Amino acid sequence: MSSTPPPTTLLPPAPGPGPFRTADRLWLAVRLMAGALVPLWALTFLVTEGSEHVEQCAHGMIGPGGHHRVERTSVPYNATCVYPDGTELPALGALEWLWWAFLVALAVLVLVAYTLEFALTGRPESRRRFLVLTVVTGTLFLGLWLLATQGPASCPPGLEGPVVAREESLFPPQRACVHASGTVRELVPDWLSRLTVILLVATALSAAGAVRAHLATPRK
């Protein structure tokens, strides 16, 4: 009596590079680039403080000389000498362009990763990832919005004459001083105001992605 051999089970081929692996690699690249912002910011700090840029402006070693004001920014760390004729001399020089080019590249990478992850919401990793993104972007938005709206209550003296009016906007966050010469001087950096809008949109998209991933995940 002959026995029938059991059917041979063919193992599926190992998954090759596909959209799931591409999404994971994109998010890995996002984390690496975001981590690189820390040493890049430290470099802007060292260049600004080590160049003695403010002292050179004060002694007329650079620029047109004479009366001027110094505008400082934290992101990137920079000091810019601003003169009455409109001349602006930043301490970073070309490094400032490198900083913003790096941020643009990071933003494009995040956008591509968002789009691909949103299309792959059928896997559990998407739900977890979008929940984390919602918390992170929402926290950043709230922190930066509070930073922008809780700034100095008075307009600092400038080269444009006395202040005759003050304008405020809660969203996008902005505070501006209107001088007698007609010049409007914004107290909230333009990048900070735009970043709050971007983070609010990112929070809404992340929350939508988390809901979509939850509905699309197969139930056991």
Side-chain angles (χ1 to χ4, degrees):
M1 183 174 180
S2 60
S3 59
T4 304
T8 303
T9 303
L10 297 177
L11 296 177
F20 292 103
R21 185 176 297 180
T22 302
D24 293 337
R25 288 175 176 174
L26 284 173
W27 286 118
L28 176 60
V30 168
R31 290 194 295 269
L32 292 176
M33 290 189 67
L37 284 176
V38 176
L40 184 58
W41 183 91
L43 179 61
T44 64
F45 176 86
L46 293 175
V47 170
T48 300
E49 293 297 327
S51 63
E52 299 182 348
H53 182 75
V54 176
E55 289 77 7
Q56 292 179 1
C57 291
H59 293 88
M61 300 173 63
I62 57 175
H67 191 46
H68 66 280
R69 71 169 184 268
V70 178
E71 295 183 352
R72 296 184 178 272
T73 59
S74 299
V75 182
Y77 193 90
N78 195 9
T80 303
C81 301
V82 182
Y83 295 87
D85 62 355
T87 301
E88 297 184 2
L89 296 176
L92 289 181
L95 185 57
E96 184 178 8
W97 291 97
L98 176 62
W99 169 271
W100 292 116
F102 191 88
L103 281 187
V104 169
L106 177 59
V108 171
L109 190 61
V110 170
L111 181 61
V112 175
Y114 253 99
T115 304
L116 184 57
E117 191 70 44
F118 202 85
L120 302 175
T121 49
R123 60 174 184 162
E125 291 85 351
S126 296
R127 180 173 59 181
R128 175 187 56 80
R129 185 165 285 160
F130 274 122
L131 285 174
V132 172
L133 288 172
T134 302
V135 173
V136 172
T137 55
T139 303
L140 288 175
F141 163 75
L142 183 59
L144 291 181
W145 183 83
L146 290 174
L147 177 65
T149 55
Q150 304 299 320
S154 60
C155 295
L159 307 177
E160 301 84 0
V163 177
V164 296
R166 180 175 176 177
E167 300 175 351
E168 292 189 12
S169 172
L170 290 179
F171 192 81
Q174 187 55 261
R175 300 185 313 279
C177 302
V178 182
H179 295 264
S181 61
T183 303
V184 179
R185 183 179 176 188
E186 296 180 342
L187 302 181
V188 178
D190 189 50
W191 66 265
L192 179 56
S193 182
R194 294 182 180 180
L195 186 56
T196 55
V197 177
I198 294 174
L199 286 174
L200 180 61
V201 174
T203 303
L205 290 177
S206 299
V211 172
R212 186 169 184 262
H214 177 74
L215 296 176
T217 302
R219 301 295 187 270
K220 296 183 179 180

